[in-house]
Amino acid sequence: MSLSTPSSAPLARPASFTGNTVLHHPLSRPLAALFLLLLVDLFAIPGFFHLEVRDGHLYGSVIDIVNRAAPLMLAALGMTLVIATRGIDISVGAVVALSGTVAAMLIGGTMVMDNGVATYVSNIPMGWALAAALGAALLCGAWNGVLVAGLGLQPIVATLILMVAGRGLAQLLTDGQIVTVYYQPYFFIGSGYLFGLPFSLFLVAAVFIITAVLMRKTALGLFIQAVGINPVAARLAGIRTATLIFFVYVFCAACAGLSGLMISSNIKSADANNAGLMLELDAILAVTLGGTSLAGGKFSLVGSMIGALIIQTLTYTIYSLGVPPEVNMVVKSVVVFLVCLSQSSEFKQLLHRRKA
Amino acid sequence: MKGLLHTPYFTSLVTVLLLVVMLGLGGAAYPGLLSTQVIFNLLIDNAFLLVIAVGMTFVIVSGGIDLSVGSVLALSTMIAAWLLHVAHWPPLLVIVTVLALGTVFGAGMGALIHYFKLQPFIVTLAGMFLARGLCYLISINSITIDDPLFVAMSQTQLGLLGGFVSPGVVIAVVTLLLAIWLAHATPFGRAVYAIGGNEQSALMMGLPVGRTKVFIYAFSGFCASLGGVLFSFYMLSGYGLHAQGTELDAIAAVVIGGTLLSGGYGYVAGALSGVLVLGTIQTLIAFDGTLSSWWTKIVIGGLLFVFCVVQRLMAMGQKTTKGS
């Protein structure tokens, strides 16, 4: 079976090669939305597309947006697969807080005067700390996976448990305090530059490429679609549904863990109360904006990336236009309503009836 | 024992037992805990949560979920404070307006859920965003409420059994009783249970599924805004950050109170025991004094987990016994 066509191609719609193909491509709507936003920025914000090289690093609004969108992109990647199996993971924010906390606490960093030169040393080697943080995230994912795949709890409830308790656990670890990190190498993950571009972008690209290859070059993508479209039929067809569902929750938590490292490294501290707050909602929004249906089945990794960029561009635009940042949430929620309505067949029928 | 395990009210019974054990152990460890006033304080501090959990019970029994309640509560406190402080409306009119707005907000979400077949989860999630966002549009700071009626409601102590309760508790208990009647003695209540059991069958039975579903979310919105009114009595302020995460507490209270998350089964009265369990956990942690308050969240998460798993295992058990 060939999966060379984008896994986002809707199965229900037969491919036609008329001029409509471009319009009907699943990515056309999110791309149009992003394009529209960028168009607004082009006219409304002076120097929006201006790029310059400073100290060998690329600077500019666009780079800034992409850099800030990186943690959300990672979270959205994991969420895409979960939603593709008809699930949902609302513990993403808690996992972000937890992994950031574990990493920050283990690295810590103290100043040592070495021959009059101040140097910072970490509590334990950074590699171990990162491994421990990701390990904690993987454990969270395994926990969610066991509840959903093993016990058959509804995904929203199963992940609700970790959403409540996970942040509590992170707060317990830090005693509710913000843990500051003083260890230079750690900052590289969130704010370092490689070949003139933010390092976080390379991380996102790596995760994206690995996931995309797994989804398209192996049968995994097809299996996930099958589970999302009809879990019972998929199981009867010989797909190990439970294992697959377990895997997507672990993957989602791993992405969230990595995103937590990025966030805590970027702000040079771990804030169990606020790190990743509402990130799960943004991630779900990014996935739906990217054209993945919440009903499961069809999914688009590229779409989710575009969705994350739309959200970050929207935020940036709102701030730059001088609109009070409070409007941001209202705008986002209206966008969610509109996107959901546009996915509803009942709404489409209503519109058609109006036209006729 | 085996017979008891299969009685329909088994989980509700477990919750009540859990409550008694927790209070008993707490009373043994901390002598002051079992005083009448401490028990009444459980109700005073959680009156708003009880009202919200009552509305949430209807939603969950019908097989849905409402994530917007915490934000609607915050928005209600915000609107009430703004109308009193800036627009100088009379307090009773303010309360009626706030309740009406909450009901309309809920009905709107219910209409989206029913008529456009959208998932309750995503619609109410967007509603959660919207209500919180609207809070900040009104003001990003907290607005004090100094209206005489609200202050009186906050400070009145109604003597009862040697202790006292607040008027908010009375309102919450009346709401609970009304909801119990609504759920168990009216055609509406029957329709809610039927929809939760199987929406298709409910439709075929000729029940007004659409109207009922819109009404359920409207009722939840009403309860959330009533919770907001009680909360503004309690806090005497409107603030966009009020009651963050309350939707999760409400869901936890409903589930712990013995309502099945898959819908179709549960008692409205369970909301009371659920809320009391959550309140008792908080009180125990406060009495202990050495545990940090983060433990509350962890214990609530743990309890939610245990109850979900028990529900699930019982559902599995029923299937196998029916099959054999």
Side-chain angles (χ1 to χ4, degrees):
Chain A
M1 63 195 73
S2 153
L3 270 174
S4 54
T5 49
S7 48
S8 55
L11 299 177
R13 196 182 294 140
S16 66
F17 293 95
T18 56
N20 273 344
T21 329
V22 178
L23 274 179
H24 279 189
H25 192 276
L27 288 182
S28 63
R29 262 191 299 182
L31 274 176
L34 185 60
F35 183 73
L36 211 70
L37 262 175
L38 291 176
L39 207 65
V40 170
D41 290 336
L42 176 66
F43 290 110
I45 305 166
F48 181 79
F49 287 100
H50 180 72
L51 287 176
E52 61 174 326
V53 178
R54 233 185 282 163
D55 316 326
H57 302 159
L58 213 50
Y59 278 96
S61 307
V62 182
I63 299 291
D64 194 39
I65 290 177
V66 178
N67 194 11
R68 273 164 206 266
L72 179 57
M73 285 168 125
L74 273 181
L77 262 178
M79 188 69 84
T80 310
L81 294 195
V82 170
I83 288 181
T85 62
R86 273 196 194 179
I88 197 92
D89 185 348
I90 56 172
S91 68
V92 167
V95 175
V96 162
L98 201 61
S99 88
T101 303
V102 170
M105 288 193 73
L106 290 181
I107 291 175
T110 37
M111 193 176 70
V112 178
M113 294 302 270
D114 187 25
N115 289 335
V117 184
T119 44
Y120 293 103
V121 269
S122 64
N123 291 347
I124 70 165
M126 195 171 92
W128 287 108
L130 298 186
L134 285 179
L138 287 178
L139 272 182
C140 289
W143 163 267
N144 281 337
V146 165
L147 291 191
V148 177
L151 279 169
L153 285 183
Q154 293 153 282
I156 180 161
V157 179
T159 53
L160 178 75
I161 297 171
L162 192 61
M163 183 192 187
V164 184
R167 205 171 277 280
L169 217 60
Q171 284 163 335
L172 188 73
L173 282 176
T174 63
D175 241 347
Q177 305 292 313
I178 296 176
V179 180
T180 319
V181 183
Y182 304 96
Y183 187 60
Q184 206 63 40
Y186 182 58
F187 305 151
F188 187 72
I189 301 173
S191 42
Y193 280 84
L194 191 65
F195 309 125
L197 286 170
F199 176 66
S200 50
L201 280 190
F202 291 94
L203 266 181
V204 175
V207 176
F208 173 79
I209 290 169
I210 293 170
T211 319
V213 165
L214 273 177
M215 291 303 131
R216 291 190 191 172
K217 297 295 171 199
T218 72
L220 212 54
L222 192 69
F223 288 171
I224 286 178
Q225 280 195 340
V227 171
I229 290 167
N230 190 335
V232 179
R235 193 164 46 83
L236 293 179
I239 296 177
R240 282 195 291 176
T241 323
T243 318
L244 210 64
I245 292 178
F246 178 81
F247 162 78
V248 295
Y249 282 92
V250 172
F251 176 74
C252 183
C255 286
L258 203 55
S259 146
L261 289 181
M262 225 180 242
I263 292 173
S264 88
S265 138
N266 195 18
I267 60 172
K268 300 182 170 54
S269 60
D271 180 356
N273 297 310
N274 296 312
L277 203 63
M278 298 273 197
L279 187 75
E280 51 275 343
L281 308 184
D282 277 348
I284 296 166
L285 180 55
V287 174
T288 35
L289 278 176
T292 297
S293 158
L294 279 168
K298 309 157 208 164
F299 68 98
S300 163
L301 294 174
V302 184
S304 299
M305 297 296 94
I306 298 173
L309 284 177
I310 292 177
I311 293 177
Q312 198 55 45
T313 313
L314 189 68
T315 311
Y316 188 92
T317 311
I318 288 174
Y319 288 163
S320 311
L321 288 179
V323 181
E326 301 84 48
V327 181
N328 204 349
M329 280 179 103
V330 178
V331 174
K332 270 188 203 167
S333 58
V334 172
V335 171
V336 178
F337 277 127
L338 291 180
V339 170
C340 288
L341 277 179
S342 76
Q343 285 183 358
S344 151
S345 52
E346 278 77 11
F347 185 70
K348 281 179 204 153
Q349 278 172 10
L350 195 77
L351 284 185
H352 276 289
R353 239 178 283 154
R354 282 279 155 80
K355 269 187 206 162
Chain B
M1 187 61 206
K2 201 158 189 257
L4 187 68
L5 206 102
H6 290 287
T7 45
Y9 45 82
F10 178 68
T11 37
S12 310
L13 211 66
V14 170
T15 308
V16 175
L17 209 68
L18 180 74
L19 191 61
V20 171
V21 169
M22 273 180 13
L23 284 175
L25 287 179
Y30 317 107
L33 189 93
L34 283 182
S35 75
T36 326
Q37 195 50 50
V38 172
I39 306 295
F40 281 158
N41 281 349
L42 281 182
L43 283 171
I44 295 174
D45 296 338
N46 293 299
F48 71 97
L49 185 59
L50 176 60
V51 172
I52 288 190
V54 163
M56 185 71 84
T57 308
F58 282 84
V59 177
I60 291 183
V61 164
S62 80
I65 198 131
D66 187 350
L67 295 175
S68 73
V69 287
S71 310
V72 172
L73 184 153
L75 182 60
S76 303
T77 66
M78 206 71 197
I79 293 177
W82 190 84
L83 286 179
L84 289 168
H85 195 80
V86 181
H88 299 292
W89 284 25
L92 281 177
L93 183 64
V94 167
I95 292 175
V96 172
T97 311
V98 163
L99 293 181
L101 285 178
T103 313
V104 169
F105 193 88
M109 290 193 300
L112 282 178
I113 290 166
H114 179 71
Y115 293 108
F116 298 120
K117 299 274 176 297
L118 301 180
Q119 293 179 6
F121 149 69
I122 195 79
V123 171
T124 56
L125 193 68
M128 171 187 185
F129 259 107
L130 184 62
R132 272 285 171 217
L134 290 175
C135 284
Y136 298 125
L137 274 190
I138 297 175
S139 166
I140 48 168
N141 298 314
S142 104
I143 306 177
T144 323
I145 297 175
D146 49 10
D147 175 81
L149 179 75
F150 276 66
V151 174
M153 287 301 250
S154 136
Q155 286 170 353
T156 308
Q157 300 184 343
L158 305 169
L160 184 72
L161 301 172
F164 68 86
V165 293
S166 64
V169 173
V170 178
I171 296 174
V173 170
V174 169
T175 312
L176 177 72
L177 295 176
L178 199 79
I180 290 175
W181 171 77
L182 203 60
H184 302 297
T186 63
F188 166 71
R190 261 201 311 281
V192 174
Y193 280 90
I195 291 173
N198 188 332
E199 196 174 325
Q200 287 300 318
S201 318
L203 203 63
M204 286 179 198
M205 273 193 277
L207 291 171
V209 171
R211 186 162 25 108
T212 309
K213 271 172 92 175
V214 174
F215 194 89
I216 290 167
Y217 287 93
F219 183 68
S220 176
F222 169 80
C223 286
S225 54
L226 182 60
V229 171
L230 297 186
F231 201 75
S232 52
F233 289 164
Y234 183 71
M235 300 291 280
L236 285 180
S237 68
Y239 190 29
L241 281 174
H242 270 334
Q244 269 198 323
T246 298
E247 52 281 339
L248 307 176
D249 286 345
I251 295 170
V254 171
V255 172
I256 291 171
T259 298
L260 276 194
L261 269 163
S262 43
Y265 178 78
Y267 299 106
V268 177
L272 179 65
S273 52
V275 167
L276 285 179
V277 166
L278 294 189
T280 309
I281 294 170
Q282 244 151 13
T283 310
L284 283 177
I285 287 171
F287 265 73
D288 179 87
T290 59
L291 291 172
S292 70
S293 63
W294 318 120
W295 276 105
T296 321
K297 282 186 173 179
I298 299 173
V299 175
I300 292 176
L303 268 185
L304 196 60
F305 164 69
V306 170
F307 274 78
C308 287
V309 170
V310 167
Q311 278 188 4
R312 188 63 206 158
L313 291 180
M314 280 173 56
M316 283 177 178
Q318 265 171 4
K319 245 179 231 166
T320 47
T321 44
K322 262 182 206 164
S324 61

